Amino acid sequence: MTATYAARTRARTGQSAPSAPAGRHGTGLGTGLGTGLVTGLVTECVTDEAAFAALAPAWGRLYRRCASATPFQTHAWLHSWWQSYGERGRLRLLLVRSGGDLVAAAPLMRARGPLPALVPLGGPISDYGDVLLDDADDGRAATALTAALAHAARTALIDLREVRPGGAAEKVYDRWCGPRRRVRDSLCLELPAVPMDGLLARLPSGKAQRVRAKLRKLAALDVTRQVAGPADVDAALRRLLELHRLQWQDRKVTTEHLRPRFHEHLVRAVGPMVRSGDAVVTEFRIGADVVAVDLTLLSRSLAGGYLYGAHPGLRERKADVAVMLLDACGELAANAGAGARGALSLLRGDEPYKHHWRPEPVANQRLLLARRRTAPLLSAALADAAARQRGRDVLHQWRERPVSG
């Protein structure tokens, strides 16, 4: 068992994080070793997997006090992801406590690759990455977390990917005194968190009439939906994954979604998330047959349809699966939060079918933070990001080229 590394930092009120914060270091198991002389805040860097598991209650309380958090920052999602994808010795959980309560957290890991970097847990299968900060923070916890990040980085770049605008990581970025850059990351499309009637009101009358006809077709097929209870979630998720495999058979698909480690992660994570109200699994039936299953993730800031599986026979019966799923997701978003939920997110991707609903494009951010001696790493990351973007632009232009003939 790897011992938890704990660091004592002094986070002075109103000051930005130093590029090389002072502190004493020691070892422990999930416990801080010191208290800031001015703020009374204790910072820790947890590297022990058992200590990560034990953080669930405290992490959950902090998550509830962070309005900008997304479901991908829940303990259930992150810890399960680590069990499926993490590598021993790379875990770096930066924590800030006040009087024993967790007031800030940055779930990170040492990344593999040509550039030494600290990156968020969750990887490519998570649509948003972020840190957690208590809404009641007066700035001291954010400053302490920034100082802890600067200390933990040492010779590495901090590369915070897929941060939604308004995310808590922006407060760290604002306090960072070393080299830093903010660049565009993945595009997400968002709708208001309203039921289908509200979504139809956004469409031209002709399109709205066609959607209503598709809803009548679903009613004529007698498609019903039922939310899976906590005891039924695991079985419903396994049906989702099997239907997902079936619907994409012989077609291009995200291959990770077909792998056992992803299946294990999803089943392990979603059960606790359903019990805590952070996820809903919905089964769609025709008679006694389950013809589709949808997983929607929920937080105070958004609701998003994460993954679904639908039997190919639905399309053969002229059922519009996208309309069916959005109808259910919109109702969930509107009912769970009573207007407090900010967005119905279509999550990452700019697929044409999403644009039928006139969504708002919202670009995630990539926040790159370096210390002065690691500034060359920042430059290298920016050059790599620019090269990849040029490649995407060329591919897009090639696909959109007119076909002669």
Side-chain angles (χ1 to χ4, degrees):
M1 180 180 295
T2 305
T4 301
Y5 171 78
R8 207 189 280 189
T9 63
R10 300 179 182 180
R12 301 184 186 277
T13 305
Q15 292 184 351
S16 298
S19 59
R24 293 191 300 176
H25 316 298
T27 58
L29 187 58
T31 57
L33 296 183
T35 303
L37 298 181
V38 176
T39 64
L41 299 179
V42 176
T43 63
E44 304 173 63
C45 181
V46 172
T47 62
D48 181 76
E49 297 180 15
F52 186 10
L55 281 169
W59 195 285
R61 291 191 294 271
L62 174 59
Y63 175 80
R64 302 293 168 203
R65 301 195 306 270
C66 183
S68 62
T70 77
F72 301 102
Q73 282 78 62
T74 60
H75 185 274
W77 182 269
L78 293 172
H79 184 251
S80 176
W81 181 90
W82 179 260
Q83 289 177 283
S84 283
Y85 296 92
E87 296 182 40
R88 186 176 179 85
R90 294 184 175 272
L91 184 64
R92 301 290 187 274
L93 303 179
L94 299 180
L95 312 177
V96 181
R97 297 182 185 273
S98 175
D101 292 331
L102 203 57
V103 293
L108 305 176
M109 61 177 286
R110 294 278 303 191
R112 284 191 177 276
L115 298 179
L118 291 176
V119 300
L121 302 186
I125 67 169
S126 301
D127 289 74
Y128 298 110
D130 206 353
V131 303
L132 294 176
L133 280 171
D134 194 319
D135 292 333
D137 177 43
D138 60 5
R140 294 181 297 169
T143 299
L145 183 62
T146 306
L149 282 164
H151 187 276
R154 297 187 182 181
T155 59
L157 179 71
I158 295 176
D159 188 354
L160 303 178
R161 300 294 304 267
E162 306 296 359
V163 177
R164 190 168 180 256
E170 290 182 348
K171 296 180 180 179
V172 171
Y173 184 86
D174 291 342
R175 286 167 169 77
W176 193 263
C177 67
R180 61 181 183 173
R181 284 292 297 273
R182 185 196 310 254
V183 296
R184 181 187 174 105
D185 218 335
S186 300
L187 182 71
C188 294
L189 300 176
E190 296 186 356
L191 293 165
V194 296
M196 179 58 77
D197 286 345
L199 298 178
L200 289 174
R202 298 167 51 85
L203 303 180
S205 59
K207 284 189 176 181
Q209 288 176 8
R210 288 193 289 274
V211 173
R212 290 191 179 96
K214 292 174 181 178
L215 290 168
R216 289 193 295 271
K217 175 65 174 178
L218 291 167
L221 290 172
D222 198 21
V223 177
T224 61
R225 60 181 185 241
Q226 180 177 346
V227 171
D232 303 318
V233 167
D234 288 5
L237 285 171
R238 296 186 192 283
R239 284 192 285 271
L240 183 159
L241 292 164
E242 175 56 26
L243 287 169
H244 183 78
R245 183 197 62 78
L246 189 62
Q247 82 184 54
W248 291 105
Q249 198 166 32
D250 301 323
R251 293 193 292 160
K252 186 176 180 181
V253 64
T254 302
T255 55
E256 185 59 34
H257 292 167
L258 304 179
R259 291 179 175 151
R261 64 181 181 182
F262 177 79
H263 292 193
E264 292 164 3
H265 157 66
L266 205 66
V267 173
R268 189 169 50 227
V270 172
M273 293 176 74
V274 165
R275 290 192 292 273
S276 60
D278 300 312
V280 175
V281 179
T282 304
E283 291 189 320
F284 299 82
R285 297 173 182 265
I286 296 180
D289 297 326
V290 176
V291 294
V293 185
D294 171 72
L295 168 60
T296 295
L297 304 181
L298 304 170
S299 72
R300 289 166 60 187
S301 61
L302 59 84
Y306 179 72
L307 191 71
Y308 75 93
H311 195 282
L314 272 177
R315 299 188 188 278
E316 295 169 6
R317 300 175 74 167
K318 308 301 182 185
D320 192 306
V321 175
V323 168
M324 180 182 76
L325 296 174
L326 194 60
D327 184 25
C329 192
E331 185 175 318
L332 283 172
N335 291 342
R341 203 174 310 283
L344 172 55
S345 177
L346 304 180
L347 301 180
R348 289 179 299 181
D350 197 23
E351 295 86 352
Y353 77 89
K354 295 181 179 179
H355 287 273
H356 296 331
W357 301 93
R358 293 191 164 184
E360 296 293 328
V362 179
N364 287 344
Q365 308 165 88
R366 183 179 183 183
L367 305 181
L368 293 160
L369 309 172
R371 292 168 63 167
R372 289 183 178 87
R373 66 182 179 184
T374 54
L377 297 177
L378 177 58
S379 299
L382 290 171
D384 179 71
R388 290 176 184 272
Q389 184 59 53
R390 285 193 297 271
R392 287 191 290 268
D393 291 343
V394 168
L395 181 61
H396 177 75
Q397 292 170 6
W398 182 82
R399 287 175 173 170
E400 295 298 318
R401 75 195 190 286
V403 179
S404 59

